[in-house]
Amino acid sequence: MSVDHAEEADGVEVAAAATIQTYPVAPGVRLNVRSGPGTNFTIVRVLPEGSHVPIFCQSPGTTVTGPYGTSKIWDNIDDGEYVSDAYVLTGSDGYVASRCG
């Protein structure tokens, strides 16, 4: 759970919590997180096996083949962080979130 925003009511700050859906990364995979939607972008970190990721938006990019098929969709999991959708179990071969940008 994360804090979405804070509001003040009668002089008391109240935090509004939002549940963010996450999706599992393919089993046994340490997944490269890149600075943009493609394999030509810098690796900024590596997700450990068993990770789950939020998808804030999705962008077309480099085509990648992974455990869940071949896809040109890249999932934005944080500010300036993308992973190939071919490694994320979304239950769909298409977009499951709005397009980035």
Side-chain angles (χ1 to χ4, degrees), residues 6 26-27 39 50 58 69 74-75 92 98:
T39 56
Q58 295 177 298
W74 286 73
D75 305 329
S92 172
S98 61

Side-chain angles (χ1 to χ4, degrees), residues 12-86:
V12 177
E13 191 172 293
V14 178
T19 303
I20 297 173
Q21 181 174 0
T22 60
Y23 300 87
V25 171
V29 171
R30 294 179 67 238
L31 187 58
N32 290 335
V33 179
R34 296 188 177 268
S35 61
T39 56
N40 55 319
F41 288 89
T42 305
I43 296 171
V44 295
R45 65 183 172 121
V46 178
L47 297 176
E49 292 182 26
S51 292
H52 284 69
V53 295
I55 299 176
F56 295 109
C57 61
Q58 295 177 298
S59 292
T62 307
T63 299
V64 172
T65 298
Y68 301 121
T70 299
S71 179
K72 67 177 184 176
I73 298 172
W74 286 73
D75 305 329
N76 174 251
I77 64 167
D78 205 342
D79 188 31
E81 295 188 355
Y82 293 81
V83 296
S84 170
D85 195 63

